[in-house]
Amino acid sequence: MAGQAVSVNFKLAPDVKKSMESACRDMGLSMSAAFTIFAKKVGRERRIPFEITADSDRNTQYLEGIMQDIKSGKAHFAEHELLEEK
């Protein structure tokens, strides 16, 4: 591990948190691990790793498509380093 882990706090709507916890659990991840994956990808690629538009319906459809790919096995994930949770 590169250095000591730090805490990051932010607020989510309760329904968003519950939905993410469920999705993460289905993928065998903690929310912390999922956010770490996201943060590493943003830091490495210097971009948000999915399209963001002002069209919220389009965003919802895009994210639902990703979730369908995950559930159907079309999405493939590579092994990565995780920070150990304390």
Side-chain angles (χ1 to χ4, degrees):
M1 183 162 56
Q4 190 172 19
V6 297
S7 293
V8 178
N9 297 305
F10 53 91
K11 295 180 186 245
L12 291 174
D15 59 325
V16 173
K17 180 179 182 278
K18 186 174 182 177
S19 176
M20 183 171 177
E21 284 174 325
S22 176
C24 288
R25 187 172 37 257
D26 290 348
M27 291 183 277
L29 296 170
S30 66
M31 281 183 58
S32 179
F35 281 119
T36 298
I37 293 166
F38 175 78
K40 285 183 175 186
K41 189 162 181 78
V42 169
R44 187 172 44 253
E45 296 180 6
R46 310 299 293 169
R47 68 180 189 90
I48 301 296
F50 47 84
E51 184 178 354
I52 298 175
T53 67
D55 181 355
S56 63
D57 288 335
R58 186 172 169 204
N59 284 339
T60 299
Q61 290 172 352
Y62 176 77
L63 294 173
E64 286 173 348
I66 290 172
M67 288 306 299
Q68 281 301 101
D69 288 348
I70 291 168
K71 289 177 182 178
S72 71
K74 288 181 186 177
H76 301 283
F77 299 94
E79 193 172 322
H80 54 83
E81 290 183 40
L82 291 178
L83 296 176
E84 291 192 19
E85 294 184 24
K86 293 182 181 185

